[in-house]
């Protein structure tokens, strides 16, 4: 199933994202400029992520969010009545906001550790803009995602679309293998400047589908997102949704192979 954005992001969702972002400040003042730019650039994506959860996850469900910092979406989901837990590599960067918003965010290096939750504990897992950052063992990380999902659980994963018009232009014109990230050095430098890795690489929809299938998921829908620039680029992104710069995957937890737990 392939979908071009099947809805217009409601204004109320955008207002909620803006309201929460206005209440958040990093504890480390050196991150102020980064967070301000993040809140401005990602507001529409965060509102769309919220809407996607509401389409595919029942109200009041237990949700686990990976990579919660900055905790804008975490707080928005909690405000909409979801029972949200979250993990992040360094939640102390926004410890005051997490406390003031009453959020449940625990520290976990999901590339090296199992998340500290029981098997089948969650109805849904959000893995938004995380996959492209994984640099150690994505198989182990996604297997652990599957572990904590209930049998009928859903994985919602979003990531840049390497086979987008922008990705193709970067490769052909600029000799760079990415759609939305920057210089390779800059992505690794984020380990020092922000406390988390930048983009290791970006993926096509086929690559993500094949990967998730082998880990134990069944992809149910792909939603192509973002783009709509001016001129011919914007026109192409409207007419051919698969050329948009991001996509979201909705996947179900598939039955475990014989002899495998979970």
């Amino acid at each position: 199933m392939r979908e071009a954005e099947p809805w217009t992001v409601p204004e109320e969702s955008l207002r909620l994202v803006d309201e929460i972002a206005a209440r958040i400040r990093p504890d480390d003042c050196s991150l102020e400029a980064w967070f301000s730019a993040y809140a401005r650039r990602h507001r529409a994506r965060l509102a769309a992520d919220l809407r996607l959860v509401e389409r595919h996850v029942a109200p009041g469900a237990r949700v686990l969010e990976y990579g919660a910092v900055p905790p804008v979406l975490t707080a928005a989901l909690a405000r909409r009545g979801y029972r949200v837990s979250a993990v992040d590599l360094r939640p102390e960067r926004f410890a005051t906001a997490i406390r003031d918003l009453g959020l449940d965010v625990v520290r976990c290096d999901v590339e090296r550790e199992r998340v500290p939750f029981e098997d089948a504990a969650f109805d849904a897992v959000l893995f938004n803009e995380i996959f492209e950052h994984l640099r150690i063992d994505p198989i182990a990380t996604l297997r652990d995602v599957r572990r904590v999902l209930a049998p009928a659980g859903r994985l919602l994963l979003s990531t840049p679309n390497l086979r987008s018009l922008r990705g193709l232009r970067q490769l052909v014109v600029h000799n760079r293998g990415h759609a939305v990230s920057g210089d390779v050095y800059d992505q690794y430098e984020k380990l020092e400047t922000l406390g988390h890795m930048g983009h290791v690489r970006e993926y096509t929809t086929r690559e993500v589908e094949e990967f998730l299938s082998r880990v134990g998921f069944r992809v149910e829908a792909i939603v192509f997102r973002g783009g709509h620039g001016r001129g011919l680029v914007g026109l192409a992104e409207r007419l051919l949704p698969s050329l948009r710069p991001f996509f979201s995957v909705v996947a179900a937890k598939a039955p475990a192979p014989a002899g495998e737990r979970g």
Side-chain angles (χ1 to χ4, degrees):
M1 178 181 179
R2 301 291 183 272
E3 303 177 7
E5 293 167 353
W7 63 80
T8 299
V9 177
E11 283 296 325
E12 62 174 334
S13 297
L14 288 168
R15 285 195 298 269
L16 178 58
V17 166
D18 290 341
E19 176 194 335
I20 291 169
R23 297 180 57 188
I24 291 175
R25 290 292 180 274
D27 286 54
D28 181 348
C29 61
S30 69
L31 298 178
E32 288 274 3
W34 170 74
F35 173 67
S36 178
Y38 175 94
R40 182 176 64 256
R41 289 199 306 264
H42 290 268
R43 65 186 291 268
R45 177 184 70 80
L46 293 168
D49 288 340
L50 177 61
R51 182 71 179 94
L52 194 65
V53 173
E54 291 175 322
R55 287 191 77 207
H56 293 278
V57 182
R62 285 214 65 191
V63 175
L64 176 62
E65 183 189 8
Y66 278 64
V69 165
V72 179
L73 182 60
T74 321
L77 290 166
R79 288 275 290 273
R80 289 289 170 88
Y82 291 97
R83 293 175 289 161
V84 187
S85 297
V87 294
D88 194 84
L89 179 62
R90 288 185 55 198
E92 66 273 12
R93 293 175 290 179
F94 286 80
T96 300
I98 289 169
R99 183 197 65 220
D100 291 348
L101 292 166
L103 303 176
D104 174 24
V105 182
V106 298
R107 188 197 178 284
C108 182
D109 183 345
V110 301
E111 293 201 78
R112 293 183 172 91
E113 304 167 320
R114 283 160 59 108
V115 294
F117 300 102
E118 299 294 326
D119 295 0
F122 295 94
D123 304 300
V125 166
L126 305 188
F127 208 83
N128 293 335
E129 311 304 310
I130 301 294
F131 193 59
E132 66 276 10
H133 295 262
L134 299 180
R135 62 193 175 99
I136 297 175
D137 190 350
I139 294 174
T141 299
L142 270 295
R143 280 178 177 164
D144 200 44
V145 169
R146 187 181 180 281
R147 176 185 67 82
V148 298
L149 269 176
R154 292 292 182 276
L155 166 66
L156 277 64
L157 179 155
S158 70
T159 194
N161 180 13
L162 181 59
R163 195 172 174 265
S164 64
L165 185 60
R166 299 170 193 216
L168 295 172
R169 182 176 60 188
Q170 289 282 22
L171 183 62
V172 174
V173 178
H174 301 292
N175 196 25
R176 294 179 179 272
H178 65 80
V180 300
S181 66
D183 180 89
V184 171
Y185 183 93
D186 291 343
Q187 300 307 305
Y188 279 87
E189 188 182 37
K190 289 180 180 180
L191 285 167
E192 299 177 3
T193 60
L194 298 180
H196 62 258
M197 178 63 197
H199 293 197
V200 176
R201 61 159 291 191
E202 295 168 2
Y203 300 88
T204 68
T205 54
R206 170 180 265 184
E207 289 174 323
V208 174
E209 281 192 85
E210 291 174 346
F211 184 95
L212 291 179
S213 175
R214 296 187 68 176
V215 172
F217 291 95
R218 183 181 68 257
V219 172
E220 298 180 327
I222 294 180
V223 181
F224 295 98
R225 306 184 291 103
H228 294 190
R230 296 180 179 179
L232 292 177
V233 171
L235 178 61
E237 290 172 339
R238 286 183 175 86
L239 295 176
L240 297 171
S242 63
L243 295 180
R244 294 179 184 180
F246 297 91
F247 62 91
S248 292
V249 175
V250 180
K253 180 177 179 178
E260 181 181 317
R261 290 185 61 198

